[in-house]
Amino acid sequence: MNRRIRPLPLERRKAFYGRLFVLPWLVGFLPFFVLPLIRTVRYSLSFMTASAEGIALQPVGLRNYIKLFAEDPDFIRELSTAFGTMFQEVPLILSFSIFIAMLLNQKFRGRTLARAILFLPVIVTSGVVIYILKTDINALYAMNGVQGQSFLRMTALTDILYSLGLDYRITDLISSAMGRIFDIAWKCGVQILLFLGGLQSIPSSFYEAASVEGATQWEKFWKITFPMITPVLLTGIVYSIVDSFTYYGNNIMLKSIKPAFDNLNYAYASAMSLVYSVMVMVVLGLVFLLVGRRVTYVER
Amino acid sequence: MSAERSDHLTRKDLAGFLWRFVRGLVLLEVGFILLYPLIYTVTVAFRPPQELNDPVVVWIPKTWTFRNIAEVWEFIKLPELLLNNVRIDLASAILQTAVCCLVGYGLARFRFREKGLLFALVVATIVIPPQATTIANFIQFRGMGILDTPMAFYLPALTANGIRSGLFIFIYRQFFRNMPADLEDAAYIDGGGPFTTFLRIMLPNATAPVIIVFLFSMVWYWNDTFFHGMYLDQTQTLSTALETLRSNLSVMIPGIQADPFTISCYMQAGVVMTIFPVLAIYILMQRYFTESIERTGLVG
């Protein structure tokens, strides 16, 4: 009896086709990602002088990196700010997106309109448009007006929470979360979309069965909805983290781009962005370790 | 008996009514926050500059004017730039949408040894900020002789290495992974090869991610100025024209610096000119877009 099961021809053929499907990406991956990345690493280990003839590199070992951690007065501070913002924002963004997605998933009159409006700014205002709006003094003034209003409402909320006898730490947490709603709502478009797609893919028979068994809404959410959207949740987490780190207004991004173009100090900027990338990767690796195992893929 | 029942029903009705009220309120609030900049842009673009300072005029101008657009027309040559945008950005977005779909499918539905590694590398391309390797990429493109040609956009898009390609591959992969295996098996039993199965069975069911990816891809190409400025410096598009609008205005129109209201109006007119094609496409595709979210769930 042959205990070793040899792969079936079909499986081998499928493996071949799988590689074929991925091949286009691999073809571009080498020249457009790997080679530039290797170059960037080499720059980060050099001192760079640019002249009319081109760029001259002078290897200096780890000096750029040492400068980064030992001499740069801002880098570590900026780095911890970036991580702090990320840890605060990502949970808020995710829970807000799930909440809005669940609202949009319900049946009500004007739902299509609500969806169209909620995704509209995501579609329209990115890149240069948001840049123009942020540099338009009048627009900024007008937007601060909106923020000012929500700030007023926020203090009212804080007062109510205080009078309810809540601890000030909890009150502060809630009010700072409310104050961020304006910023948060802007960063949620893609995530709302992902979650809405995820919610739609849950068979209604699951909920019907749960209702027959007498499950409450709360139980339905944690026992059906949440496990079923874990695959998109993972996508959402990855996207939110990366977005928070590579957001243009992020100080480190600004710092690593600006010196590169202003003083042609590209070697130093390379070192900075590489360190930063590695840290982002560590965070994502942890996320995959913690969350990845709990993701349920339903075999249907 | 019957009275008790009706009493119970009313309480439930009340809860339902309250919930609908709160839901409407939340959606209105969030919708307003998100629409705010867009409303601002449109009303400012079509109002005479002196009305920007008029306390009576908040949203609806006393007079609507096309003068701002006409003034900016000289700096944003719409017909010519629109053609460039279609030729470069729209084409790249279409290529990217198609190829990322293939790659995502390959990573989702086939089993081969190095799949895990390849997927990890795809995630790595999302994580490393593209700004980090820009100069190296620039040199790479120059070496390949595609700098300042549309090829600098086409080739990465064609090999699924364009703007945020990693994210799109990820979205496709998560989607295809959730497709029922029976569908695929049925196609194989009927004698369909992997490509036939993909084209005839999987793709028709994947309109949701295709539309979502296409919209995002198009918007991100359309509104990008960073890569356009780096790799396609000679070809102006709407976004790069908009980016340089402010400085062009102050050079070409003497004395405009002292008049922030006129600058604001002209800038917003430029924004309207840049985003209206995207807006038009979104409004046209909006139905399919929101419906496609609905159809992400394959089996109900």
Side-chain angles (χ1 to χ4, degrees):
Chain A
M1 217 165 86
N2 192 358
R3 298 288 293 176
R4 248 189 66 209
I5 301 163
R6 285 182 37 228
L8 294 166
L10 176 69
E11 291 224 344
R12 234 185 298 161
R13 225 180 69 208
K14 276 181 78 175
F16 168 73
Y17 275 106
R19 293 187 178 109
L20 209 59
F21 271 102
V22 184
L23 189 65
W25 173 77
L26 205 60
V27 168
F29 179 66
L30 296 174
F32 300 128
F33 188 80
V34 176
L35 279 179
L37 189 64
I38 293 172
R39 271 219 184 89
T40 308
V41 173
R42 223 183 47 176
Y43 293 160
S44 76
L45 299 171
S46 317
F47 182 75
M48 192 189 268
T49 37
S51 61
E53 289 91 60
I55 294 165
L57 292 175
Q58 201 186 332
V60 290
L62 288 173
R63 198 186 301 161
N64 284 323
Y65 290 93
I66 294 167
K67 191 177 157 201
L68 202 55
F69 283 103
E71 289 169 34
D72 196 315
D74 301 322
F75 182 69
I76 292 179
R77 189 164 44 86
E78 304 278 19
L79 202 62
S80 51
T81 315
F83 273 87
T85 318
M86 192 275 288
F87 280 116
Q88 279 186 332
E89 266 186 10
V90 171
L92 279 176
I93 288 176
L94 290 172
S95 31
F96 183 75
S97 313
I98 291 181
F99 176 66
I100 295 291
M102 288 183 71
L103 280 190
L104 289 179
N105 195 33
Q106 293 182 337
K107 284 200 167 55
F108 58 89
R109 224 180 307 144
R111 181 174 67 164
T112 319
L113 183 71
R115 283 184 184 177
I117 288 176
L118 275 166
F119 296 131
L120 185 64
V122 185
I123 296 298
V124 175
T125 41
S126 68
V128 66
V129 178
I130 202 79
Y131 169 75
I132 297 287
L133 277 169
K134 287 210 163 157
T135 50
D136 188 321
I137 299 159
N138 293 303
L140 222 55
Y141 174 72
M143 280 212 230
N144 281 334
V146 173
Q147 266 174 322
Q149 273 175 28
S150 71
F151 183 73
L152 278 182
R153 258 181 283 137
M154 200 179 81
T155 48
L157 180 83
T158 324
D159 286 347
I160 294 171
L161 290 174
Y162 266 129
S163 56
L164 284 174
L166 273 175
D167 191 66
Y168 73 94
R169 271 166 298 191
I170 302 171
T171 323
D172 279 359
L173 200 71
I174 292 173
S175 60
S176 83
M178 292 298 286
R180 280 166 177 269
I181 285 286
F182 190 84
D183 267 354
I184 298 287
W186 271 97
K187 296 176 180 165
C188 284
V190 176
Q191 289 89 333
I192 294 176
L193 201 67
L194 288 171
F195 291 138
L196 201 50
L199 290 174
Q200 298 285 341
S201 70
I202 305 173
S204 53
S205 56
F206 285 21
Y207 291 108
E208 285 153 20
S211 299
V212 171
E213 300 285 341
T216 60
Q217 291 292 336
W218 182 251
E219 284 168 334
K220 278 185 205 165
F221 177 78
W222 288 108
K223 298 273 161 68
I224 301 173
T225 313
F226 193 73
M228 289 295 287
I229 60 167
T230 43
V232 274
L233 188 64
L234 185 62
T235 319
I237 294 175
V238 171
Y239 179 82
S240 311
I241 291 176
V242 172
D243 204 42
S244 154
F245 277 127
T246 57
Y247 174 58
Y248 191 78
N250 182 315
N251 273 330
I252 296 208
M253 290 316 304
L254 287 181
K255 270 187 65 126
S256 64
I257 299 163
K258 276 194 79 120
F261 294 103
D262 291 355
N263 334 321
L264 279 168
N265 196 353
Y266 192 67
Y268 186 57
S270 298
M272 191 186 292
S273 45
L274 282 176
V275 168
Y276 191 54
S277 307
V278 167
M279 294 196 159
V280 179
M281 280 215 233
V282 169
V283 171
L284 282 184
L286 285 175
V287 166
F288 268 92
L289 272 182
L290 290 173
V291 185
R293 303 220 171 276
R294 283 161 213 210
V295 171
T296 28
Y297 291 102
V298 181
E299 293 289 329
R300 284 195 287 252
Chain B
M1 187 70 183
S2 67
E4 214 180 281
R5 243 181 94 203
S6 81
D7 182 44
H8 179 69
L9 269 178
T10 8
R11 216 181 304 150
K12 216 172 153 191
D13 282 351
L14 190 69
F17 174 76
L18 261 176
W19 168 237
R20 259 175 291 158
F21 182 71
V22 170
R23 180 177 65 196
L25 218 60
V26 168
L27 286 176
L28 264 182
E29 166 85 25
V30 176
F32 178 68
I33 289 178
L34 293 177
L35 272 181
Y36 192 88
L38 203 66
I39 302 172
Y40 171 83
T41 298
V42 172
T43 67
V44 170
F46 292 105
R47 78 171 69 166
Q50 58 271 21
E51 281 188 27
L52 200 55
N53 199 21
D54 192 336
V56 181
V57 181
V58 178
W59 289 116
I60 303 163
K62 287 181 201 157
T63 43
W64 293 86
T65 170
F66 276 96
R67 230 198 68 140
N68 299 329
I69 303 266
E71 290 288 332
V72 173
W73 196 271
E74 202 180 315
F75 302 98
I76 299 179
K77 296 187 179 61
L78 197 58
E80 186 189 318
L81 295 186
L82 200 58
L83 194 72
N84 278 346
N85 268 46
V86 169
R87 197 164 54 95
I88 293 160
D89 297 329
L90 191 65
S92 304
I94 291 172
L95 286 176
Q96 191 180 35
T97 311
V99 180
C100 286
C101 185
L102 287 176
V103 177
Y105 184 74
L107 287 173
R109 304 301 308 197
F110 298 97
R111 232 175 303 159
F112 48 98
R113 221 178 327 124
E114 62 280 13
K115 190 173 82 169
L117 174 71
L118 289 181
F119 182 61
L121 290 176
V122 169
V123 175
T125 64
I126 311 177
V127 176
I128 294 185
Q131 289 91 339
T133 56
T134 304
I135 300 268
N137 241 326
F138 178 86
I139 292 165
Q140 176 75 25
F141 284 158
R142 201 174 56 188
M144 292 167 82
I146 57 171
L147 196 70
D148 275 329
T149 68
M151 279 296 153
F153 272 59
Y154 294 157
L155 283 184
L158 190 64
T159 55
N161 277 279
I163 298 178
R164 302 218 203 185
S165 276
L167 176 73
F168 297 139
I169 295 175
F170 198 103
I171 290 177
Y172 277 126
R173 183 240 185 204
Q174 295 297 86
F175 175 84
F176 282 122
R177 245 190 110 149
N178 252 347
M179 293 273 250
D182 308 352
L183 260 183
E184 204 179 39
D185 294 340
Y188 282 137
I189 289 167
D190 286 345
F195 277 108
T196 330
T197 311
F198 172 69
L199 280 177
R200 309 272 304 263
I201 309 291
M202 293 303 196
L203 205 53
N205 281 309
T207 42
V210 169
I211 287 179
I212 288 168
V213 166
F214 172 69
L215 269 175
F216 278 125
S217 175
M218 186 185 141
V219 170
W220 282 330
Y221 268 107
W222 197 277
N223 287 344
D224 165 76
T225 51
F226 186 72
F227 297 104
H228 281 88
M230 288 305 296
Y231 309 143
L232 259 177
D233 204 24
Q234 306 301 315
T235 319
Q236 217 184 19
T237 58
L238 285 170
S239 58
T240 49
L242 180 61
E243 197 189 24
T244 51
L245 181 60
R246 186 185 291 266
S247 51
N248 280 344
L249 282 174
S250 43
V251 171
M252 302 303 282
I253 306 177
I256 200 171
Q257 286 288 24
D259 186 0
F261 298 115
T262 310
I263 292 188
S264 270
C265 285
Y266 286 5
M267 292 304 287
Q268 298 309 328
V271 171
V272 167
M273 287 162 81
T274 308
I275 60 175
F276 93 86
V278 194
L279 206 60
I281 289 188
Y282 178 66
I283 290 169
L284 285 178
M285 280 176 75
Q286 176 274 120
R287 218 185 69 222
Y288 304 99
F289 182 62
T290 42
E291 268 176 21
S292 76
I293 304 166
E294 198 88 332
R295 268 190 270 117
T296 334
L298 183 67
V299 280

